[in-house]
Amino acid sequence: MTHADIGERDLSFADLLRFRSKGLIGPVRFGPAAFAIRDHRRWAQMSGAALLALGAGHLVAGLVFYGASQWEDLSEWQIFGILQGGIVVLVAAALAGGLTKPVGQAALIGATLMTGLLLHIVQRIYPSSAGNLEFLLAWALLVLPWVAASRSAAHWVVWTIIALFLADAAFSGYLEPSGLVPAAIGPFVLAAVPGLVLCGGEAMRRRGATWLRPKWPRYVLLAPALGLLFTALLEHLFPDLPVFDGAAAGVESVIIFTIPVLAAIWFYRFRVPDYAGFAIAIAFAALAAGAIGARMIDGWYSLDPLQPSGLFGWLLIFVWASACAGGMAILLRHQGYFFETAEHHAG
Amino acid sequence: MQADRFYQQFDLQRTAIAHDIHIHDQYAEPPLPWFIQGLIGLGGWIIGLTIVLLAIAILVLLHGSDMDALWPVNFAIGTAFLVFGWSIRCLRMPASVADGLAFGGLIFAALAIGVFAAGKAYPALFFTGLVLIISARLDATLVLQGAIAALLAGLIAATAMQELVIDRQISAVAWIFALESLAGVILFMFPARIDLRPLASIAIFSAVLSPVLAAQFFTWTEPEASMIAGRLLNLSALAVLFLTAWLGADGTNRRFDVLMFAALCLPTALILPQAGSSALIVFVLAWCRGSLPLAIIGGALQTVFVMHYFHDQSISLIYRAPTMIEKAWIMGGIGIALIALGAMLAFREARAEP
């Protein structure tokens, strides 16, 4: 690259930091230079969108504060008028702006959240035998058409969170008290929700659904699915820890954790190379290996640090934890070139 | 911005900068993705910290659990790990392992002279401050600098709670947080040659979060003028940001954007409680620096503040806590102003399309 070419090269903030560290630019000029080199067009678009979102958030907060201050004086007609009017306005805005356009998608997500608020207020004003389960079931089903229509990955993530609460309510409020299923399988039921949505999303992505191109929903669903399974595994390994209620599953929790983790490692390494998805699965595998090793050492030694055998047990745990962490780090570092090449080819 | 325009606008040594860019583009290796760097670093930190924990376990075995009496030994061991962590970076040891060792040693040494020896946070505060300065001079990694800065911020908050809140010197706490905001902004916008971004980030974030966390333990209802002064310090931090943006703006349109932003943010910062104006500083800083992660954090902090504001009892400019209906008008007014500014920016950008 000649000096003439360098003159046409766009500067980044990292360049500016390097110039500053070498004393090529002084401290007083650094701030103005940082403002000057940013991509003004991109920042005008992003800050415009961010200000609109923050403004809408403050406006909604103002309405909530107003409602809280006037709650006692508002009639039921006024309360439901405001909430249902809000939903109608948001759906109309989505139809006007285009259901699959960012404005329409944002409006439909707003309508989804406002439907939940409306159902919550109905529950408060007209107490009935219907409980949390019926409320969440109604919410999840009523908003499903909007979720499908918006073709928005973010909207599906919001719906998954509602479905997760629904699964929790169904399990803890109905399935477990009625004795239909044992208490120990609770985490598996919850993990199934993000897990199934993730599998559905991956299947649709492979069938060419372009609106599922963003990768972040994959990570937002994969991490809690594996996290919940890991919690079940920990509960099985260390049932006496005070954070657990003692209703631990048996050795099947190890199998139920291992199969999805291995599947995720295989899928994101060989079928759809994705460095971040692979890294999440490997991190949980390393955590599980560390926990299983610690449990085995706990069985061999007393782990009382005031006893020599206990101290040796702690030493083994430290060494094993370091080995798991170091193994994970080495594996991830060595896979860097493969994923860089694979993701480059995938575009 | 292209390099040629950059030289002209800031009147810089063209040859030296062009040479630096040439060398960097020729020899720089593409970095690993940030999440992989994070996981690899985490692995190294776990190794480093477990080594320190092992040393503590041996110490307990040898001397029993009476840590107060043995504070000089504990302090010496902690400091030894700290120095060892600093030193082994020269070897072929991964930096994260060395950082874990150094940070584990620092925590142990700070505990020894703080909790075990004095039962107070301030000795640990001074020691950690000293370690932070030495680490920066030794060109420690940004992660280690951030970890030490976070420990320092925690100790400042603990000292403020221990020494000031008990005596109801709440205004002094407000001053400390506002000074942290201002210091963070100055470190970000007028940086030294040593990269101090983690320290600057921690200063700003702790200024935003500390009042929110502190409000869990006490309410600021007293009409103290110095609390307004704390808010004015936040205003001056915003003024510094807008001034630097103004100096960097290279045309009438950009300067108009800066003016519009300032016209919205400065009155908003005056009306909102201190945590709100501190969150606003993060957002404006992101806008000035062109940093997307900072913008996301600023937006998230502003959301946390709004959620907290419902129960907030901080005094306003009218020297009393606003009623719920007044808060509703404040939130609604700010919301409309933000939407107007966002719409104006979007409209101007659409008109500027070729």
Side-chain angles (χ1 to χ4, degrees), chain B residues 194-247:
Chain B
I194 301 166
D195 192 349
L196 294 175
R197 279 178 296 165
L199 173 62
S201 308
I202 295 290
I204 290 181
F205 297 154
S206 60
V208 182
L209 290 175
S210 299
V212 174
L213 296 176
Q216 307 297 321
F217 306 106
F218 62 92
T219 52
W220 289 351
T221 52
E222 295 167 35
E224 295 182 56
S226 46
M227 285 180 66
I228 299 295
R231 201 172 302 167
L232 289 177
L233 270 177
N234 271 359
L235 269 180
S236 57
L238 280 172
V240 167
L241 285 171
F242 286 120
L243 183 66
T244 34
W246 177 269
L247 292 172

Short mmCIF file of all heavy atoms in Angstrom, two decimals, chain B residues 194-247:
data_model
loop_
_atom_site.label_atom_id
_atom_site.label_comp_id
_atom_site.label_asym_id
_atom_site.label_seq_id
_atom_site.Cartn_x
_atom_site.Cartn_y
_atom_site.Cartn_z
N ILE B 194 -1.19 6.19 27.98
CA ILE B 194 -1.55 4.85 28.47
C ILE B 194 -3.05 4.69 28.26
O ILE B 194 -3.81 5.61 28.55
CB ILE B 194 -1.22 4.72 29.97
CG1 ILE B 194 0.26 4.95 30.20
CG2 ILE B 194 -1.65 3.38 30.51
CD1 ILE B 194 0.61 5.16 31.64
N ASP B 195 -3.46 3.53 27.78
CA ASP B 195 -4.88 3.28 27.52
C ASP B 195 -5.62 3.08 28.85
O ASP B 195 -5.41 2.07 29.52
CB ASP B 195 -5.03 2.05 26.63
CG ASP B 195 -6.43 1.91 26.09
OD1 ASP B 195 -7.32 2.64 26.57
OD2 ASP B 195 -6.65 1.09 25.18
N LEU B 196 -6.44 4.05 29.24
CA LEU B 196 -7.14 3.97 30.52
C LEU B 196 -8.65 3.81 30.32
O LEU B 196 -9.44 4.20 31.19
CB LEU B 196 -6.85 5.21 31.36
CG LEU B 196 -5.40 5.39 31.82
CD1 LEU B 196 -5.22 6.72 32.54
CD2 LEU B 196 -4.97 4.26 32.74
N ARG B 197 -9.06 3.23 29.21
CA ARG B 197 -10.51 3.09 28.96
C ARG B 197 -11.23 2.26 30.02
O ARG B 197 -12.34 2.63 30.43
CB ARG B 197 -10.73 2.47 27.57
CG ARG B 197 -10.62 3.47 26.46
CD ARG B 197 -10.81 2.80 25.13
NE ARG B 197 -9.75 1.84 24.87
CZ ARG B 197 -9.80 0.90 23.93
NH1 ARG B 197 -10.86 0.79 23.18
NH2 ARG B 197 -8.80 0.06 23.75
N PRO B 198 -10.66 1.13 30.51
CA PRO B 198 -11.39 0.38 31.54
C PRO B 198 -11.63 1.22 32.80
O PRO B 198 -12.73 1.22 33.35
CB PRO B 198 -10.47 -0.81 31.84
CG PRO B 198 -9.65 -0.97 30.62
CD PRO B 198 -9.44 0.41 30.09
N LEU B 199 -10.59 1.96 33.22
CA LEU B 199 -10.74 2.81 34.40
C LEU B 199 -11.83 3.87 34.17
O LEU B 199 -12.69 4.09 35.02
CB LEU B 199 -9.40 3.48 34.72
CG LEU B 199 -9.40 4.52 35.83
CD1 LEU B 199 -9.80 3.89 37.15
CD2 LEU B 199 -8.03 5.18 35.97
N ALA B 200 -11.80 4.48 32.98
CA ALA B 200 -12.80 5.51 32.67
C ALA B 200 -14.20 4.91 32.66
O ALA B 200 -15.14 5.51 33.20
CB ALA B 200 -12.47 6.13 31.30
N SER B 201 -14.33 3.71 32.06
CA SER B 201 -15.66 3.06 32.00
C SER B 201 -16.18 2.77 33.41
O SER B 201 -17.34 3.05 33.73
CB SER B 201 -15.60 1.74 31.24
OG SER B 201 -14.99 1.93 30.00
N ILE B 202 -15.30 2.20 34.24
CA ILE B 202 -15.73 1.85 35.60
C ILE B 202 -16.14 3.11 36.36
O ILE B 202 -17.14 3.12 37.09
CB ILE B 202 -14.59 1.11 36.36
CG1 ILE B 202 -14.28 -0.23 35.69
CG2 ILE B 202 -14.94 0.92 37.83
CD1 ILE B 202 -15.32 -1.29 35.83
N ALA B 203 -15.37 4.21 36.19
CA ALA B 203 -15.71 5.46 36.88
C ALA B 203 -17.11 5.91 36.51
O ALA B 203 -17.92 6.27 37.37
CB ALA B 203 -14.68 6.53 36.53
N ILE B 204 -17.42 5.87 35.23
CA ILE B 204 -18.73 6.35 34.79
C ILE B 204 -19.84 5.40 35.22
O ILE B 204 -20.87 5.82 35.75
CB ILE B 204 -18.74 6.54 33.26
CG1 ILE B 204 -17.84 7.73 32.91
CG2 ILE B 204 -20.14 6.78 32.74
CD1 ILE B 204 -17.77 8.05 31.45
N PHE B 205 -19.62 4.09 35.05
CA PHE B 205 -20.69 3.14 35.39
C PHE B 205 -20.97 3.14 36.89
O PHE B 205 -22.12 3.04 37.31
CB PHE B 205 -20.34 1.72 34.94
CG PHE B 205 -20.20 1.60 33.46
CD1 PHE B 205 -19.41 0.62 32.89
CD2 PHE B 205 -20.87 2.47 32.61
CE1 PHE B 205 -19.28 0.52 31.52
CE2 PHE B 205 -20.74 2.38 31.24
CZ PHE B 205 -19.94 1.41 30.69
N SER B 206 -19.91 3.24 37.70
CA SER B 206 -20.17 3.22 39.14
C SER B 206 -20.89 4.49 39.56
O SER B 206 -21.71 4.48 40.48
CB SER B 206 -18.89 3.04 39.94
OG SER B 206 -18.01 4.09 39.67
N ALA B 207 -20.64 5.60 38.83
CA ALA B 207 -21.35 6.84 39.14
C ALA B 207 -22.84 6.70 38.84
O ALA B 207 -23.68 7.29 39.50
CB ALA B 207 -20.77 8.00 38.33
N VAL B 208 -23.16 5.89 37.82
CA VAL B 208 -24.58 5.71 37.48
C VAL B 208 -25.23 4.73 38.46
O VAL B 208 -26.32 4.98 38.96
CB VAL B 208 -24.73 5.13 36.05
CG1 VAL B 208 -26.19 5.00 35.68
CG2 VAL B 208 -24.02 6.02 35.06
N LEU B 209 -24.54 3.63 38.71
CA LEU B 209 -25.18 2.55 39.45
C LEU B 209 -25.18 2.78 40.97
O LEU B 209 -26.12 2.37 41.64
CB LEU B 209 -24.49 1.22 39.14
CG LEU B 209 -24.74 0.71 37.72
CD1 LEU B 209 -23.94 -0.53 37.43
CD2 LEU B 209 -26.22 0.41 37.51
N SER B 210 -24.13 3.44 41.48
CA SER B 210 -24.03 3.57 42.94
C SER B 210 -25.22 4.29 43.56
O SER B 210 -25.76 3.82 44.56
CB SER B 210 -22.73 4.27 43.32
OG SER B 210 -21.65 3.50 42.87
N PRO B 211 -25.68 5.45 43.00
CA PRO B 211 -26.84 6.09 43.63
C PRO B 211 -28.07 5.20 43.60
O PRO B 211 -28.86 5.19 44.54
CB PRO B 211 -27.06 7.35 42.78
CG PRO B 211 -25.78 7.60 42.10
CD PRO B 211 -25.16 6.26 41.90
N VAL B 212 -28.22 4.41 42.51
CA VAL B 212 -29.38 3.53 42.41
C VAL B 212 -29.29 2.44 43.48
O VAL B 212 -30.25 2.15 44.19
CB VAL B 212 -29.45 2.89 41.01
CG1 VAL B 212 -30.57 1.86 40.94
CG2 VAL B 212 -29.66 3.96 39.96
N LEU B 213 -28.08 1.86 43.63
CA LEU B 213 -27.91 0.82 44.65
C LEU B 213 -28.03 1.41 46.05
O LEU B 213 -28.64 0.82 46.93
CB LEU B 213 -26.56 0.14 44.48
CG LEU B 213 -26.37 -0.63 43.17
CD1 LEU B 213 -24.96 -1.19 43.07
CD2 LEU B 213 -27.38 -1.75 43.06
N ALA B 214 -27.43 2.60 46.23
CA ALA B 214 -27.45 3.22 47.56
C ALA B 214 -28.88 3.53 47.99
O ALA B 214 -29.21 3.47 49.17
CB ALA B 214 -26.62 4.50 47.55
N ALA B 215 -29.74 3.83 47.00
CA ALA B 215 -31.12 4.18 47.34
C ALA B 215 -31.88 2.99 47.93
O ALA B 215 -32.95 3.16 48.50
CB ALA B 215 -31.84 4.69 46.10
N GLN B 216 -31.32 1.79 47.79
CA GLN B 216 -31.95 0.63 48.42
C GLN B 216 -31.82 0.73 49.94
O GLN B 216 -32.59 0.13 50.67
CB GLN B 216 -31.29 -0.68 47.95
CG GLN B 216 -31.21 -0.85 46.45
CD GLN B 216 -32.58 -0.91 45.81
OE1 GLN B 216 -33.50 -1.51 46.34
NE2 GLN B 216 -32.72 -0.27 44.66
N PHE B 217 -30.80 1.46 50.40
CA PHE B 217 -30.53 1.48 51.84
C PHE B 217 -30.99 2.77 52.52
O PHE B 217 -31.20 2.81 53.70
CB PHE B 217 -29.03 1.30 52.08
CG PHE B 217 -28.49 0.07 51.43
CD1 PHE B 217 -27.71 0.13 50.29
CD2 PHE B 217 -28.81 -1.18 51.94
CE1 PHE B 217 -27.24 -1.01 49.67
CE2 PHE B 217 -28.33 -2.33 51.33
CZ PHE B 217 -27.56 -2.25 50.20
N PHE B 218 -31.07 3.86 51.79
CA PHE B 218 -31.55 5.11 52.39
C PHE B 218 -32.17 5.97 51.31
O PHE B 218 -31.97 5.74 50.12
CB PHE B 218 -30.42 5.87 53.09
CG PHE B 218 -29.31 6.29 52.18
CD1 PHE B 218 -29.33 7.54 51.58
CD2 PHE B 218 -28.23 5.45 51.92
CE1 PHE B 218 -28.31 7.93 50.74
CE2 PHE B 218 -27.21 5.84 51.07
CZ PHE B 218 -27.25 7.09 50.48
N THR B 219 -32.96 6.93 51.71
CA THR B 219 -33.60 7.81 50.73
C THR B 219 -33.02 9.21 50.87
O THR B 219 -32.75 9.68 51.97
CB THR B 219 -35.12 7.88 50.95
OG1 THR B 219 -35.35 8.18 52.31
CG2 THR B 219 -35.77 6.58 50.59
N TRP B 220 -32.83 9.86 49.75
CA TRP B 220 -32.29 11.21 49.74
C TRP B 220 -33.45 12.20 49.72
O TRP B 220 -33.92 12.60 48.68
CB TRP B 220 -31.42 11.41 48.50
CG TRP B 220 -30.15 10.65 48.57
CD1 TRP B 220 -29.65 9.98 49.64
CD2 TRP B 220 -29.21 10.49 47.53
NE1 TRP B 220 -28.46 9.41 49.33
CE2 TRP B 220 -28.16 9.70 48.05
CE3 TRP B 220 -29.12 10.92 46.21
CZ2 TRP B 220 -27.06 9.35 47.29
CZ3 TRP B 220 -28.03 10.57 45.47
CH2 TRP B 220 -27.01 9.79 46.00
N THR B 221 -33.92 12.55 50.86
CA THR B 221 -35.07 13.43 50.90
C THR B 221 -34.71 14.82 51.42
O THR B 221 -35.53 15.72 51.42
CB THR B 221 -36.17 12.85 51.80
OG1 THR B 221 -35.58 12.54 53.06
CG2 THR B 221 -36.75 11.60 51.20
N GLU B 222 -33.47 14.97 51.87
CA GLU B 222 -33.14 16.25 52.50
C GLU B 222 -32.85 17.31 51.46
O GLU B 222 -32.13 17.06 50.49
CB GLU B 222 -31.91 16.06 53.40
CG GLU B 222 -32.22 15.14 54.55
CD GLU B 222 -30.95 14.70 55.25
OE1 GLU B 222 -30.02 15.52 55.34
OE2 GLU B 222 -30.89 13.57 55.68
N PRO B 223 -33.38 18.50 51.64
CA PRO B 223 -33.16 19.56 50.65
C PRO B 223 -31.78 20.19 50.82
O PRO B 223 -31.64 21.28 51.35
CB PRO B 223 -34.28 20.55 50.94
CG PRO B 223 -34.58 20.38 52.38
CD PRO B 223 -34.29 18.96 52.72
N GLU B 224 -30.77 19.48 50.39
CA GLU B 224 -29.41 19.98 50.57
C GLU B 224 -28.90 20.57 49.27
O GLU B 224 -28.91 19.91 48.24
CB GLU B 224 -28.49 18.85 51.02
CG GLU B 224 -28.88 18.31 52.38
CD GLU B 224 -27.93 17.22 52.82
OE1 GLU B 224 -26.72 17.47 52.85
OE2 GLU B 224 -28.40 16.13 53.10
N ALA B 225 -28.43 21.80 49.34
CA ALA B 225 -28.00 22.50 48.13
C ALA B 225 -26.83 21.80 47.46
O ALA B 225 -26.71 21.80 46.24
CB ALA B 225 -27.60 23.92 48.48
N SER B 226 -25.98 21.13 48.27
CA SER B 226 -24.80 20.50 47.68
C SER B 226 -25.17 19.31 46.81
O SER B 226 -24.38 18.89 45.96
CB SER B 226 -23.84 20.08 48.77
OG SER B 226 -24.54 19.43 49.78
N MET B 227 -26.37 18.73 47.01
CA MET B 227 -26.78 17.66 46.12
C MET B 227 -27.06 18.23 44.73
O MET B 227 -26.82 17.57 43.72
CB MET B 227 -28.01 16.95 46.66
CG MET B 227 -27.66 16.06 47.83
SD MET B 227 -29.06 15.22 48.48
CE MET B 227 -29.48 14.17 47.13
N ILE B 228 -27.57 19.43 44.69
CA ILE B 228 -27.74 20.11 43.41
C ILE B 228 -26.36 20.33 42.79
O ILE B 228 -26.17 20.19 41.59
CB ILE B 228 -28.46 21.46 43.60
CG1 ILE B 228 -29.84 21.24 44.20
CG2 ILE B 228 -28.57 22.20 42.28
CD1 ILE B 228 -30.80 20.50 43.34
N ALA B 229 -25.38 20.65 43.65
CA ALA B 229 -24.03 20.87 43.13
C ALA B 229 -23.49 19.60 42.48
O ALA B 229 -22.83 19.65 41.45
CB ALA B 229 -23.11 21.31 44.26
N GLY B 230 -23.79 18.43 43.08
CA GLY B 230 -23.40 17.16 42.48
C GLY B 230 -23.99 17.01 41.09
O GLY B 230 -23.34 16.57 40.15
N ARG B 231 -25.26 17.40 40.96
CA ARG B 231 -25.92 17.33 39.65
C ARG B 231 -25.28 18.32 38.67
O ARG B 231 -25.16 18.05 37.48
CB ARG B 231 -27.40 17.66 39.84
CG ARG B 231 -28.25 17.16 38.73
CD ARG B 231 -29.71 17.33 39.07
NE ARG B 231 -30.06 16.63 40.30
CZ ARG B 231 -31.20 16.83 40.95
NH1 ARG B 231 -32.07 17.69 40.50
NH2 ARG B 231 -31.47 16.16 42.05
N LEU B 232 -24.85 19.47 39.19
CA LEU B 232 -24.20 20.45 38.32
C LEU B 232 -22.86 19.92 37.80
O LEU B 232 -22.46 20.23 36.68
CB LEU B 232 -23.99 21.77 39.06
CG LEU B 232 -25.28 22.56 39.33
CD1 LEU B 232 -24.98 23.81 40.15
CD2 LEU B 232 -25.99 22.93 38.04
N LEU B 233 -22.19 19.11 38.61
CA LEU B 233 -20.95 18.47 38.13
C LEU B 233 -21.26 17.57 36.94
O LEU B 233 -20.51 17.52 35.97
CB LEU B 233 -20.32 17.64 39.24
CG LEU B 233 -19.31 18.33 40.14
CD1 LEU B 233 -18.85 17.35 41.22
CD2 LEU B 233 -18.12 18.82 39.36
N ASN B 234 -22.39 16.85 37.02
CA ASN B 234 -22.80 16.01 35.89
C ASN B 234 -23.07 16.88 34.66
O ASN B 234 -22.73 16.50 33.54
CB ASN B 234 -24.07 15.23 36.24
CG ASN B 234 -23.74 13.91 36.89
OD1 ASN B 234 -22.58 13.57 37.05
ND2 ASN B 234 -24.75 13.16 37.26
N LEU B 235 -23.68 18.03 34.90
CA LEU B 235 -23.94 18.95 33.78
C LEU B 235 -22.63 19.38 33.14
O LEU B 235 -22.52 19.49 31.92
CB LEU B 235 -24.66 20.19 34.30
CG LEU B 235 -26.19 20.15 34.29
CD1 LEU B 235 -26.73 21.46 34.83
CD2 LEU B 235 -26.72 19.91 32.89
N SER B 236 -21.62 19.64 33.97
CA SER B 236 -20.34 20.08 33.41
C SER B 236 -19.69 18.95 32.61
O SER B 236 -19.04 19.19 31.59
CB SER B 236 -19.40 20.59 34.50
OG SER B 236 -19.21 19.58 35.44
N ALA B 237 -19.90 17.68 33.04
CA ALA B 237 -19.39 16.55 32.25
C ALA B 237 -20.06 16.52 30.88
O ALA B 237 -19.40 16.32 29.85
CB ALA B 237 -19.65 15.24 33.00
N LEU B 238 -21.36 16.76 30.86
CA LEU B 238 -22.08 16.80 29.57
C LEU B 238 -21.57 17.96 28.72
O LEU B 238 -21.40 17.82 27.50
CB LEU B 238 -23.58 16.96 29.81
CG LEU B 238 -24.35 15.69 30.18
CD1 LEU B 238 -25.77 16.02 30.57
CD2 LEU B 238 -24.36 14.72 29.00
N ALA B 239 -21.31 19.10 29.38
CA ALA B 239 -20.83 20.28 28.64
C ALA B 239 -19.48 19.97 27.99
O ALA B 239 -19.22 20.36 26.84
CB ALA B 239 -20.72 21.48 29.57
N VAL B 240 -18.61 19.25 28.72
CA VAL B 240 -17.30 18.86 28.16
C VAL B 240 -17.50 18.01 26.91
O VAL B 240 -16.86 18.22 25.87
CB VAL B 240 -16.48 18.07 29.22
CG1 VAL B 240 -15.27 17.41 28.58
CG2 VAL B 240 -16.04 18.99 30.34
N LEU B 241 -18.45 17.06 27.00
CA LEU B 241 -18.70 16.18 25.85
C LEU B 241 -19.19 16.97 24.64
O LEU B 241 -18.71 16.77 23.52
CB LEU B 241 -19.74 15.13 26.24
CG LEU B 241 -19.25 14.00 27.13
CD1 LEU B 241 -20.39 13.14 27.62
CD2 LEU B 241 -18.26 13.14 26.36
N PHE B 242 -20.14 17.87 24.86
CA PHE B 242 -20.67 18.63 23.73
C PHE B 242 -19.63 19.58 23.14
O PHE B 242 -19.60 19.81 21.94
CB PHE B 242 -21.94 19.38 24.14
CG PHE B 242 -23.12 18.46 24.29
CD1 PHE B 242 -23.79 18.34 25.49
CD2 PHE B 242 -23.54 17.67 23.22
CE1 PHE B 242 -24.86 17.47 25.63
CE2 PHE B 242 -24.60 16.80 23.36
CZ PHE B 242 -25.26 16.70 24.56
N LEU B 243 -18.78 20.11 24.02
CA LEU B 243 -17.73 21.02 23.53
C LEU B 243 -16.75 20.26 22.62
O LEU B 243 -16.39 20.75 21.54
CB LEU B 243 -16.99 21.63 24.73
CG LEU B 243 -15.93 22.66 24.37
CD1 LEU B 243 -16.57 23.90 23.74
CD2 LEU B 243 -15.12 23.07 25.60
N THR B 244 -16.35 19.06 23.06
CA THR B 244 -15.41 18.28 22.21
C THR B 244 -16.07 17.90 20.89
O THR B 244 -15.43 17.93 19.83
CB THR B 244 -14.93 17.00 22.91
OG1 THR B 244 -15.98 16.51 23.70
CG2 THR B 244 -13.74 17.20 23.73
N ALA B 245 -17.37 17.54 20.95
CA ALA B 245 -18.07 17.20 19.70
C ALA B 245 -18.14 18.42 18.79
O ALA B 245 -17.93 18.32 17.58
CB ALA B 245 -19.47 16.69 20.03
N TRP B 246 -18.38 19.58 19.36
CA TRP B 246 -18.46 20.83 18.58
C TRP B 246 -17.12 21.10 17.89
O TRP B 246 -17.08 21.46 16.71
CB TRP B 246 -18.83 21.98 19.53
CG TRP B 246 -18.87 23.33 18.87
CD1 TRP B 246 -17.84 24.21 18.77
CD2 TRP B 246 -19.97 23.93 18.20
NE1 TRP B 246 -18.23 25.33 18.10
CE2 TRP B 246 -19.54 25.19 17.72
CE3 TRP B 246 -21.29 23.54 17.96
CZ2 TRP B 246 -20.37 26.06 17.03
CZ3 TRP B 246 -22.11 24.41 17.27
CH2 TRP B 246 -21.67 25.64 16.80
N LEU B 247 -16.03 20.86 18.63
CA LEU B 247 -14.70 21.11 18.05
C LEU B 247 -14.38 20.10 16.95
O LEU B 247 -13.61 20.42 16.03
CB LEU B 247 -13.62 21.05 19.15
CG LEU B 247 -13.68 22.18 20.17
CD1 LEU B 247 -12.71 21.92 21.31
CD2 LEU B 247 -13.37 23.52 19.51
#
